[in-house]
Amino acid sequence: MLRMLTAAMLVLGLAACAWWPLPLPSPAPSPAPSPAPAPAAQPDFADEREEVVALLAYYSRALALSAEDLRREHQLAVAAFGKDRTEFGRLRLVLLHSLPTPVSRDDVKVAGALLEASPARNGPSESPRRQFVALLQKLVAERQREQRRADELQQRTEELQRKLDAMVDIERSLRGRKKRP
């Protein structure tokens, strides 16, 4: 019984210690915080953002133009780019050549060539203009693939038409032979 009483007292003593807060060890003095490095100067792309917004608005307006107005707009854009070869003028021409309504026969090739010569391709990766040019390059590349596919289908169609015409000619010549006897 004495043992049980001693064990109970020991358990109660240990339980009481759990309720008593232990002093926290004092933290080691930390070294003086080093000054935060100055943030790298981020270029301000506000002008480029405005330019991209203006180009998108221009594209939206160009989509609504009639074929005749579109030809006039194309002539004006070519003349403006010829006088002052700005990146804005270049991208304006690319957008005109990217329209679903063709401005000229070689729209996709011209747009691709204009984009290849764009200095914005080598700009900072955060540049809105560079990102816009990258998007246009992907769209033009897709249009080029579609154009090649359409050309291949056209060639295939013409080839099949020639074969069909040859078969019709053979059939006519065979009919003519049967009627002669």
Side-chain angles (χ1 to χ4, degrees), residues 1-16:
M1 171 109 157
L2 186 60
R3 283 188 185 173
M4 281 179 77
L5 187 59
T6 309
M9 291 298 275
L10 182 63
V11 169
L12 284 173
L14 287 174

Side-chain angles (χ1 to χ4, degrees), residues 26-175:
S26 62
S30 61
S34 61
Q42 293 290 331
D44 184 22
F45 293 115
D47 292 342
E48 286 188 18
R49 276 188 219 102
E50 289 175 17
E51 181 179 297
V52 169
V53 168
L55 286 165
L56 289 171
Y58 176 76
Y59 183 75
S60 180
R61 286 190 308 272
L63 283 171
L65 293 176
S66 67
E68 185 59 35
D69 291 339
L70 195 56
R71 273 192 288 279
R72 259 187 262 127
E73 183 61 30
H74 181 259
Q75 290 170 350
L76 291 172
V78 168
F81 184 64
K83 287 180 187 174
D84 186 19
R85 292 185 172 270
T86 63
E87 189 65 8
F88 183 80
R90 176 186 314 278
L91 294 176
R92 217 171 101 188
L93 270 175
V94 169
L95 288 174
L96 284 174
H97 285 282
S98 301
L99 291 170
T101 308
V103 175
S104 69
R105 169 99 172 98
D106 297 326
D107 276 341
V108 178
K109 290 178 186 175
V110 171
L114 285 167
L115 285 172
E116 286 296 318
S118 174
R121 291 178 49 231
N122 301 322
S125 61
E126 309 87 34
S127 165
R129 187 184 298 139
R130 179 179 176 181
Q131 294 170 3
F132 187 62
V133 167
L135 174 68
L136 288 175
Q137 283 180 309
K138 289 177 183 176
L139 292 174
V140 166
E142 181 63 30
R143 292 250 339 254
Q144 286 173 333
R145 280 191 292 277
E146 289 174 5
Q147 185 68 45
R148 278 194 300 273
R149 178 139 169 76
D151 290 345
E152 289 169 2
L153 288 173
Q154 181 65 32
Q155 289 174 353
R156 180 74 175 139
T157 301
E158 289 171 1
E159 178 185 338
L160 290 173
Q161 186 63 47
R162 282 192 299 273
K163 289 179 179 180
L164 181 62
D165 290 343
M167 290 175 72
V168 167
D169 288 344
I170 291 171
E171 184 181 355
R172 284 183 188 149
S173 70
L174 289 176
R175 282 187 198 162

